[in-house]
Amino acid sequence: MNNEKPRLWTRNFVLIIVINFLVFMNHIMLLSTFPFYIESLGGSEALAGLAATLFSLVAVLCRPVVGWMLDNGKRRTILLIGLAGMLLMPLGYMFASVIFLAFVFRMVHGASLALSNTATATIASDVIPAPRFAEGMGMFGMATALATSCAPALGLYLMDSFSYTVLFACASGSVLIALILFAIQIGRASC
């Protein structure tokens, strides 16, 4: 009788964990600094709070639709669209000279997070062997926890020591790395 557990740490599993980490680095770096950016554009604390609310609202409202799309469509395509949005929106912030544009980019960023995050979790559940599902999802979730613990300090450091432009470029850079990893291949059969 063979009691050997199926392999958890496959290339696809490692890649989707790293992609998820990079997505959350982008998200959390900007979550902690965006209110200051809105104030730098002349907005009030109330407007900064509204920007955060709109981001979260769009991300939450998109998730049921994204879930349906993932169940009925191409997981790789949805992840790619989400990553593209997460790459481009911080670059858009660099050119948003008025608060209205910053709000528009922020809402698209929220939708992009919903696409990316929901797709990475779905893909992770596809590549984890069923007998090791709880263990695998726990490991996958650690990427989010790790990004949540270090991204705020990094974002504030970049904002305070350099500029918003450097902060936004680094946020986009994290997702650029994720896109490169995506291109390496996270498994045709599972995505």
Side-chain angles (χ1 to χ4, degrees):
M1 185 171 175
N2 186 1
N3 290 329
E4 187 176 325
K5 289 183 177 180
R7 194 167 146 226
L8 175 63
W9 293 99
T10 62
R11 184 180 80 157
N12 289 346
F13 184 54
V14 171
L15 285 175
I16 202 65
I17 286 175
V18 174
I19 289 170
N20 186 55
F21 171 77
L22 294 167
V23 162
F24 270 88
M25 284 297 292
N26 169 292
H27 165 51
I28 302 293
M29 269 198 299
L30 298 181
L31 182 68
S32 57
T33 54
F34 205 77
F36 300 109
Y37 171 64
I38 291 296
E39 290 178 14
S40 78
L41 292 177
S44 63
E45 287 183 14
L47 279 177
L50 179 60
T53 301
L54 289 174
F55 175 88
S56 298
L57 183 64
V58 168
V60 168
L61 292 177
C62 286
R63 285 186 193 275
V65 175
V66 173
W68 178 86
M69 290 166 54
L70 287 165
D71 285 341
N72 295 286
K74 304 267 186 200
R75 287 159 162 71
R76 290 170 50 88
T77 303
I78 292 166
L79 178 55
L80 181 60
I81 293 167
L83 291 175
M86 296 208 62
L87 170 73
L88 295 173
M89 289 312 99
L91 298 177
Y93 300 146
M94 291 183 196
F95 303 103
S97 57
V98 294
I99 292 173
F100 173 76
L101 277 179
F103 272 49
V104 170
F105 292 142
R106 195 65 179 147
M107 288 187 290
V108 175
H109 202 170
S112 300
L113 175 67
L115 287 162
S116 302
N117 174 241
T118 310
T120 56
T122 303
I123 292 168
S125 70
D126 289 342
V127 300
I128 296 169
R132 301 188 73 178
F133 188 77
E135 176 189 3
M137 288 308 288
M139 295 298 175
F140 173 80
M142 285 182 64
T144 303
L146 182 60
T148 301
S149 67
C150 62
L154 177 60
L156 289 168
Y157 170 76
L158 292 170
M159 180 187 78
D160 290 338
S161 301
F162 299 98
S163 65
Y164 288 108
T165 299
V166 171
L167 168 66
F168 298 146
C170 288
S172 287
S174 73
V175 177
L176 178 60
I177 296 167
L179 279 164
I180 291 167
L181 293 175
F182 177 89
I184 287 173
Q185 187 71 304
I186 55 175
R188 290 184 188 278
S190 61
C191 304

